[in-house]
Amino acid sequence: MVTDYIAVDLEMTGLNPNRDRILEIGAVKVLGGEVKDTFSHLVNPKIPVSETVVKLTGISNEMAGLARDIDEVMQEFLAFAGEFTWVGHNVIYDYGFVKQWAVNHNIPLEKRAVDTLKIARKCLVFPEKKSLDSLCMFYHIEREERHRAYMDALAAHRLYEILKKEFYEGEKELFLPRELQYHGKKQTKATLSQKNYLKELSEYHKITIDIPIEELTRSEASRLADKIIRQHGKIPDALRHRNGNFHP
């Protein structure tokens, strides 16, 4: 039975670790079943936060813009987490974003975790939905804010302790830490030709790119160029050849 662990939750700009960014990291350090330390930091994703995410989390673009860089926050978080087992609700989702960051920075990272979602799906008939929101309502777990990383990490800790008391004796296998598996491919920065092409598209179509081009990965730059072309069209070849510029 895991009694010492880190309960973890992240908020992100979207669902895909390959193209979305971490927005907030929250965690609680639990020793002997009691919270002994906490971690809570916003992250500047350096891309716009969608209205959907703003409404869901309450994290505005202004708040995100004032936050620290992901590299600083992530290094502090990994130091905070140390070698502890993770606990989280659908924890592989959060781990995927952390692992992708580690892959991008050539940092080895392997973690073991207990997933409260898997326990709930196996042990509970009700509520029908096994989301953290539904289970917090079912077990009367209070949260000052929903969909904020620290409060959700704290809720995951409280949920785990409740599930452990109710079901551990009959379902010990479910409470064993498992290796988390996420296989991410390293993301590299956009090439100079990609960045120049985006600038050309922006100038030709007289549009503003609200994402810092210097922060884009190669795949992000490619998707953005394709999106602009779909919406506004290509730069005529005659103009591109005249200027000595070519599509990367």
Side-chain angles (χ1 to χ4, degrees), residues 25 28 53 131 189 208:
I25 302 177
V28 295
V53 173
S131 67
K189 290 291 186 180
T208 300

Side-chain angles (χ1 to χ4, degrees), residues 25-28 37-41 68 73-74 76-77 80 150:
I25 302 177
V28 295
D37 202 357
T38 64
F39 184 95
S40 179
H41 285 286
R68 291 191 295 154
V73 177
M74 186 63 77
E76 291 180 11
F77 166 68
F80 176 85
Y150 167 70

Side-chain angles (χ1 to χ4, degrees), residues 73-173:
V73 177
M74 186 63 77
Q75 290 175 34
E76 291 180 11
F77 166 68
L78 292 177
F80 176 85
E83 298 302 316
F84 283 93
T85 294
W86 287 17
V87 167
H89 201 72
N90 196 19
V91 67
I92 188 63
Y93 171 57
D94 304 286
Y95 176 71
F97 279 82
V98 177
K99 179 71 172 183
Q100 185 62 60
W101 177 89
V103 169
N104 290 345
H105 291 76
N106 298 313
I107 296 174
L109 181 69
E110 302 296 335
K111 291 295 179 182
R112 293 162 61 83
V114 178
D115 193 336
T116 53
L117 177 60
K118 290 183 177 180
I119 297 171
R121 284 175 172 170
K122 175 71 174 180
C123 297
L124 292 171
V125 176
F126 299 105
E128 183 177 351
K129 292 183 178 180
K130 304 301 189 293
S131 67
L132 186 60
D133 284 350
S134 296
L135 292 168
C136 283
M137 290 180 63
F138 183 74
Y139 282 115
H140 306 290
I141 298 171
E142 295 184 2
R143 288 182 291 174
E144 294 178 10
E145 296 177 287
R146 296 168 59 242
H147 300 293
R148 291 301 301 268
Y150 167 70
M151 294 306 302
D152 283 358
L154 185 60
H157 148 64
R158 291 170 175 165
L159 176 61
Y160 170 71
E161 294 296 331
I162 290 170
L163 294 173
K164 187 169 64 174
K165 288 179 182 178
E166 287 196 17
F167 301 110
Y168 175 74
E169 289 302 324
E171 297 285 355
K172 291 182 180 180
E173 284 287 321

